[in-house]
Amino acid sequence: MQSVNPYTESIVEEYDEHDEEDVEAALSRAAETFEEWRATSLTERRGLLTDAADVLREREEKYAELMTEEMGKPITEARSEVQKCAWVCDYYAEHAAEHLQEKTVQGPEDAETYVRYDPLGPILAVMPWNFPLWQVFRFAAPHLTSGNVGLLKHASNVPGCAKAIEEVFRDAGYPEGVFQSLLVGSDLVEEIIEDDRVRAVTLTGSGPAGRSVAEQAGKNLKKSVLELGGSDPHIVLDDAPIAEAAETGARARTINSGQSCIAAKRFIVHDAVYDEFVDRFVSEMEALQMGDPKDEDTDVGPQAREDLMEELHEQVEDSVEMGAEVRLGGEPEDGEGYFYPPTVLTDVPRDSPAGCEELFGPVASVFRVESEAEAVELANDSQYGLGGSVWTTNLERGKGVAARVESGAVFVNELTKSDPRLPFGGVKDSGYGRELGVEGIHEFVNRKTVFVQHGVGDE
């Protein structure tokens, strides 16, 4: 298994893949460890999570550079990602006891009734390359702390990050087997899900991968959580603060070099402010600096793989053939590295790739609408429903629009982002289930009802 630097196109490192014998050993270790780990006090688990946060902070630069080398993330964003991983560890170390506390439910007067939260067992996490640390830690922090054990099948282009995450938990003092990275291809995922020792599965990734995992989990009657793609609307109403909407919109479209499920992708702009917004937005996108991801001043790095860059360009070309106008960018950069420039498309046909597919790179699709109602209709005219944002100077109006947008999250006058304190996930083809917050930690526990009848056999 190789990791290839998308900036230099050179091999970073090669790793030996795990074979079926290695996977069997890992599954056995996970099942054995779970019986001990579930009996470990919550206080001890929380303390270990605090230690994991300390390891992350101590090694921030090391892990940030690793991400930048393996998938091209700009170094300033990579550092922020490590910091966010430490934050999610801090959050659950502080709040897990509250979130997992037995909940008393009013029942008969002569009985004690409550709900307790018990761990399920080994959980398989199938994770993507675009946020190679964060998307694993937002799974691991709550679910290891609730008493489960984790098995990570990471994306094949970030094996170094997979090993680094395993290293964090080991060096924080977690028992061997609580968290294991499996360096395997996708061909072994079905077999792992089918194994009786695996009790649940979570995936962050593409729609096809999500459907495959959901099918296998459903066939084996196992709980699953899916966070899939998105084509988030960035709605600019006629009373929007245009300068802020354009500036934040450019950042929202190009975070992680545009490779984010919750990036703003469809810019839906009221006719009354359309021209002003487009001019400002194009200027903001044009001002972004593209280059060496290890350079502190770089805003947009390379795409993570050459095939992904080529697929993105095909979507742009097909959209232009169908009538979209290129206002900025639109062609891969010549030379070394998998660079695709910040790109703005206007007059985008709704049935073009830029109108109805997810463009996983720094390409913005801009639409003109005549009314608020049309803006909401277009925002919802998508197979996806992950996030979205609304821009207006009238906050009550913004909340009203947010209520009508069909997605797992809507932000008013801010870009869509995840936060350990808030539930995160989507609807429609963007998946199901929630991560983060109290809702997230409850996804992989047995919410067990306990009914204790009083007066029977009492002396």
Side-chain angles (χ1 to χ4, degrees), residues 31 64 77 107 172 222 263 394 415 449:
E77 293 185 22
K222 295 181 180 180
N394 184 330
L415 57 83
T449 295

Side-chain angles (χ1 to χ4, degrees), residues 148-216:
N148 298 296
V149 299
L151 295 157
L152 170 65
K153 187 278 180 231
H154 217 325
S156 59
N157 60 326
V158 289
C161 290
K163 299 298 290 182
I165 297 165
E166 191 176 53
E167 173 186 89
V168 170
F169 288 113
R170 181 180 66 246
D171 291 355
Y174 279 74
E176 183 182 6
V178 171
F179 184 92
Q180 300 176 80
S181 287
L182 304 176
L183 298 186
V184 298
S186 299
D187 57 312
L188 288 183
V189 169
E190 179 178 338
E191 183 180 326
I192 295 170
I193 294 173
E194 288 177 347
D195 193 285
D196 288 341
R197 289 164 291 191
V198 172
R199 300 309 311 147
V201 57
T202 181
L203 174 139
T204 298
S206 68
R211 285 182 171 85
S212 176
V213 164
E215 180 181 359
Q216 294 306 317

Side-chain angles (χ1 to χ4, degrees), residues 206-427:
S206 68
R211 285 182 171 85
S212 176
V213 164
E215 180 181 359
Q216 294 306 317
K219 189 164 65 175
N220 290 278
L221 296 179
K222 295 181 180 180
K223 177 68 182 291
S224 60
V225 169
L226 304 179
E227 193 266 283
L228 307 177
S231 188
D232 287 6
H234 183 95
I235 300 172
V236 182
L237 298 176
D238 54 340
D239 64 345
I242 299 302
E244 291 88 345
E247 179 184 1
T248 304
R251 285 194 292 116
R253 175 58 282 204
T254 58
I255 285 175
N256 202 35
S257 304
Q259 301 165 121
S260 170
C261 295
I262 53 171
K265 297 187 175 86
R266 294 179 298 136
F267 291 77
I268 300 170
V269 186
H270 194 286
D271 178 66
V273 294
Y274 179 87
D275 291 335
E276 181 184 358
F277 174 81
V278 170
D279 287 345
R280 283 182 175 269
F281 181 58
V282 169
S283 295
E284 294 286 352
M285 292 282 278
E286 192 172 23
L288 296 171
Q289 182 166 319
M290 184 171 62
D292 182 352
K294 287 191 174 181
D295 187 327
E296 301 279 344
D297 295 324
T298 293
D299 300 305
V300 178
Q303 302 299 281
R305 298 197 313 260
E306 185 176 19
D307 63 308
L308 297 172
M309 180 190 71
E310 292 171 346
E311 180 182 345
L312 176 66
H313 187 50
E314 286 178 9
Q315 291 173 301
V316 170
E317 287 186 312
D318 289 347
S319 299
V320 171
E321 281 186 18
M322 295 177 69
E325 179 184 352
V326 178
R327 294 290 295 268
L328 180 70
E331 291 287 343
E333 293 290 303
D334 293 331
E336 193 173 59
Y338 311 137
F339 284 99
Y340 205 87
T343 296
V344 179
L345 304 178
T346 58
D347 299 322
V348 176
R350 286 202 192 188
D351 58 349
S352 68
C356 62
E357 298 176 6
E358 179 177 28
L359 271 60
F360 214 63
V363 179
S365 303
V366 186
F367 302 84
R368 186 195 299 261
V369 294
E370 301 294 331
S371 66
E372 176 185 303
E374 186 183 356
V376 173
E377 184 274 328
L378 178 53
N380 292 336
D381 184 22
S382 172
Q383 69 201 64
Y384 299 107
L386 190 55
S389 63
V390 181
W391 291 82
T392 173
T393 52
N394 184 330
L395 297 186
E396 290 303 312
R397 184 187 189 191
K399 288 190 285 186
V401 172
R404 289 145 57 201
V405 173
E406 298 167 354
S407 63
V410 182
F411 285 64
V412 179
N413 295 341
E414 179 58 289
L415 57 83
T416 303
K417 53 190 172 182
S418 57
D419 183 316
R421 299 164 292 191
L422 300 172
F424 179 84
V427 295

Side-chain angles (χ1 to χ4, degrees), residues 17 45 90 101 117 160 316 350 376 400:
E17 286 195 43
R45 288 186 230 135
D90 288 340
Q101 184 176 11
Y117 303 100
V316 170
R350 286 202 192 188
V376 173

